[in-house]
Amino acid sequence: MGFDLQGKASVGAAATRPGTAGTPGRWAAAAGVVAVAAGVVVGELVAALVSPALSPMTGVGGAVIDAVPPAVKDWAVAVFGTADKLALLVGMGLAIAALAALAGLLEWRRRFTGFAVIGIFGVVGLVAVLGRAQVTGNAIALPLLAAGTGILVLRWLMSRLRDWSTSTTARERPAPAAAPATAPIAGGAAGPDAGPDAGPDAGPDRRRFLQALGGGAVVATVGGALAAGLRGAAAGVSEIRSKLALPSAASPASPVPAGAELRLDGMDPLVTPNRDFYRIDTALTVPAVDPDAWVLRVTGMVEREIELDFATLLAKPMTERHVTIACVSNEVGGDLIGNALWLGWPVRELLAMAGPTSGADMVLSRSKDGWTAGTPLEALTDDRDALIAVGMNGEPLPLEHGFPARLVVPGLYGYVSATKWLTELKVTRFADDVGYWTPRGWSERGPIKTSSRIDVPRAGRAVRAGTVAFGGVAWAQHTGISKVELRVNRGDWQTVELAPGISRDTWYQWQLSLPLTPGQYEIQVRATDLNGVPQIEERSQVAPDGATGFHTIRVDVTP
Ligand SMILES: Nc1nc2c(c(=O)[nH]1)N[C@H]1C(S)=C(S)[C@@H](COP(=O)(O)O)O[C@H]1N2
Ligand SMILES: [Mo]
């Protein structure tokens, strides 16, 4: 490891060396390109797998588009026409390749400088991705994952290249003519550590480096093709989705009552935007379901089996409802809950056409990827407007949320009801069938438990003494909330101002202002449903059927 010496070489002198044809400098640049390609491919592949709407490359591309002055955009459109986006991606690819080659060269000259260049890529990618609207939490990891992979691969290739260089130098003679890299790196390999690595012949080390480089290039190419394939399938469906016109609702949602949305600073919106909606599923790759190929089958204990295609579904009289859905894994105070405006056809109408036979008490719904949920037949046939949903907040379902159709059942946790990428409804009995999560330690039935959350002030955040505003949400789907109370340091419960809910099936916002002097406070919230049943005080884990306990936060009030 005598390469510190290379780093000490002046930039001018060093620049001539790696730039000379046939020196390892050229190979260092190649190593940079392969390493960065591997990083980008890993980022794209993981993105393609976890969420089709995410792509570090298109994230950066989008940020470039946003940052570019309108005149340049007009110019690009004029010159490249509709291929402007392709031109942008090609341009980005070339720019990244040039920077990657530079990173390889720099790393060859001075350890960690090339890593730093790749690290800066990662941070730029991060900033670009953060600025994109569609992007959700886990996207943040992707540019860092890409940069980390790039650095690791470069480190690996560099150590091979140095072995090669060291052995070449140690021989103190040019390698055979066939070797592309023959010039010894002056000084660099002659350091004190060079001795043990120095072989009598550069052949094996040279071969090892070239194998590593070639292997890296092959893996990056195959991974890139795979990512492109996955992305292509999802992109095709995304394209179809973006052109889909949803029918208007025959039974529209009741309007959001005045005052339902308390405009308290720091409060989550009453209706959760799609891009912020929590996502939970077992799907490693988001199923890309072409609506033209989609059918929903009603099978099992029915008088008539039914096959429903998407066009037929869209032609049914649609119902639109606000419903707050929640995950059974939502901790007290957690954010695995969201409220959306769903458009769909009531499941009970489809089930009525099929005619469940007597004895049936469960519907096992199945998704494209084989996941299942077991829902009480009653919850799908009573008056609660369980929907075969096609729309979410005025748009077709996002791919991540079940495009083209999913179930939404007010009052039940998602794992027993909210099947995304829906393909089958099997009418059956709890005695005969089980949903995916039941044998894995979760209850057969999963009614949502009444709960409440403090969102303002954020837990652990310091606030100024005086009048302190508290606010949050409370929910008891399909029953509704009658009362929310707050208590300070386990004192008396104080009733808060409860905003009108959109419906019994949605969460309600609440707020309360309290005069507080400087000090530390423990604040707790509890909700009571419209039947007068208060939420459970005793703490319990999320498994097997949902967490209980009061959301408790600590607030530091400063003078
Ligand atoms: N196909 C499929 N549908 C699914 C799941 C799944 O793993 N696969 N998870 C369920 C669970 S546990 C929840 S909480 C909800 C979450 O829906 P969302 O991702 O749209 O918020 O989807 C449900 N539907
Ligand atoms: Mo869930």
Side-chain angles (χ1 to χ4, degrees):
M1 292 186 214
F3 33 76
D4 276 1
L5 290 167
Q6 288 161 14
K8 287 178 191 126
S10 79
V11 170
T16 55
R17 258 182 285 112
T20 310
T23 65
R26 170 167 290 187
W27 291 109
V33 172
V34 168
V36 168
V40 169
V41 161
V42 165
E44 290 296 320
L45 202 54
V46 171
L49 289 172
V50 294
S51 185
L54 301 180
S55 152
M57 276 289 272
T58 47
V60 172
V64 171
I65 291 174
D66 293 348
V68 151
V72 178
K73 257 180 259 194
D74 292 346
W75 171 83
V77 173
V79 172
F80 300 108
T82 50
D84 58 340
K85 289 208 181 54
L86 182 65
L88 173 74
L89 283 175
V90 169
M92 266 173 57
L94 292 175
I96 289 176
L99 280 167
L102 181 71
L105 274 173
L106 285 174
E107 187 60 27
W108 175 244
R109 308 285 225 69
R110 188 191 278 270
R111 238 188 156 189
F112 300 120
T113 51
F115 296 172
V117 169
I118 298 179
I120 291 169
F121 272 154
V123 172
V124 170
L126 183 72
V127 170
V129 165
L130 281 179
R132 305 299 302 162
Q134 290 168 329
V135 158
T136 50
N138 47 0
I140 293 164
L142 294 172
L144 299 182
L145 177 73
T149 306
I151 287 172
L152 286 177
V153 173
L154 184 58
R155 200 175 84 146
W156 177 61
L157 290 174
M158 279 292 142
S159 81
R160 295 269 142 119
L161 186 57
R162 288 194 164 105
D163 288 346
W164 172 16
S165 164
T166 303
S167 54
T168 305
T169 310
R171 285 183 302 127
E172 289 178 326
R173 61 174 174 78
T182 54
I185 294 299
D193 297 318
D197 293 334
D201 181 1
D205 286 328
R206 172 177 174 274
R207 201 174 319 119
R208 260 194 293 272
F209 169 74
L210 292 178
Q211 275 168 356
L213 189 72
V218 168
V219 169
T221 306
V222 170
L226 203 63
L230 284 170
R231 180 90 58 205
V237 173
S238 291
E239 178 80 16
I240 294 169
R241 175 188 174 273
S242 67
K243 295 197 173 123
L244 193 78
L246 291 177
S248 53
S251 169
S254 44
V256 176
E261 178 127 40
L262 301 170
R263 305 196 182 273
L264 207 57
D265 211 27
M267 201 98 127
D268 285 349
L270 184 62
V271 179
T272 316
N274 290 354
R275 66 168 182 276
D276 297 333
F277 209 95
Y278 82 96
R279 175 186 161 200
I280 296 286
D281 53 64
T282 59
L284 187 58
T285 60
V286 171
V289 182
D290 179 353
D292 282 339
W294 180 87
V295 277
L296 174 59
R297 292 190 173 80
V298 186
T299 62
M301 299 171 67
V302 288
E303 268 146 28
R304 286 162 297 278
E305 295 209 337
I306 294 180
E307 280 197 7
L308 182 76
D309 64 28
F310 198 63
T312 311
L313 173 60
L314 286 191
K316 298 291 182 189
M318 293 276 157
T319 293
E320 197 161 38
R321 294 287 180 268
H322 286 98
V323 177
T324 299
I325 66 169
C327 184
V328 68
S329 297
N330 194 32
E331 304 281 353
V332 171
D335 58 5
L336 299 181
I337 178 166
N339 184 39
L341 179 61
W342 307 97
L343 176 79
W345 188 40
V347 196
R348 64 170 177 271
E349 293 182 25
L350 179 62
L351 289 173
M353 283 170 61
T357 55
S358 71
D361 62 1
M362 188 249 248
V363 173
L364 190 76
S365 54
R366 184 180 298 277
S367 73
K368 171 81 178 176
D369 64 339
W371 187 87
T372 53
T375 311
L377 179 62
E378 211 200 321
L380 299 178
T381 49
D382 66 16
D383 66 352
R384 79 180 69 197
D385 288 329
L387 299 177
I388 302 164
V390 296
M392 181 177 184
N393 291 328
E395 288 173 23
L397 295 174
L399 266 58
E400 291 84 347
H401 295 290
F403 184 80
R406 74 174 301 171
L407 288 180
V408 173
V409 185
L412 302 183
Y413 285 123
Y415 83 106
V416 289
S417 69
T419 305
K420 305 190 274 189
W421 315 291
L422 182 66
T423 59
E424 186 190 349
L425 298 173
K426 178 186 179 191
V427 180
T428 178
R429 306 189 311 162
F430 277 105
D432 299 333
D433 276 296
V434 286
Y436 179 87
W437 283 113
T438 302
R440 293 171 172 82
W442 300 85
S443 293
E444 188 177 78
R445 315 232 173 188
I448 296 178
K449 292 176 177 172
T450 301
S451 194
S452 51
R453 196 175 75 187
I454 305 168
D455 291 341
V456 178
R458 291 284 160 190
R461 190 73 54 84
V463 293
R464 276 290 167 85
T467 305
V468 179
F470 290 87
V473 280
W475 57 92
Q477 283 91 327
H478 212 56
T479 307
I481 293 289
S482 65
K483 184 169 69 170
V484 175
E485 296 157 293
L486 215 61
R487 73 177 172 188
V488 180
N489 295 339
R490 314 248 163 178
D492 291 336
W493 287 107
Q494 308 180 47
T495 301
V496 308
E497 177 196 337
L498 183 64
I502 302 175
S503 80
R504 297 179 301 162
D505 295 330
T506 64
W507 59 17
Y508 296 53
Q509 294 189 341
W510 61 263
Q511 66 180 348
L512 181 68
S513 289
L514 291 174
L516 291 180
T517 53
Q520 258 217 354
Y521 297 90
E522 183 203 75
I523 313 287
Q524 290 184 300
V525 65
R526 78 166 176 194
T528 301
D529 74 16
L530 272 167
N531 294 333
V533 181
Q535 86 179 69
I536 298 166
E537 173 165 13
E538 193 195 331
R539 293 193 145 265
S540 71
Q541 302 297 306
V542 294
D545 63 356
T548 59
F550 298 152
H551 188 207
T552 305
I553 66 165
R554 230 153 282 279
V555 178
D556 281 323
V557 178
T558 58

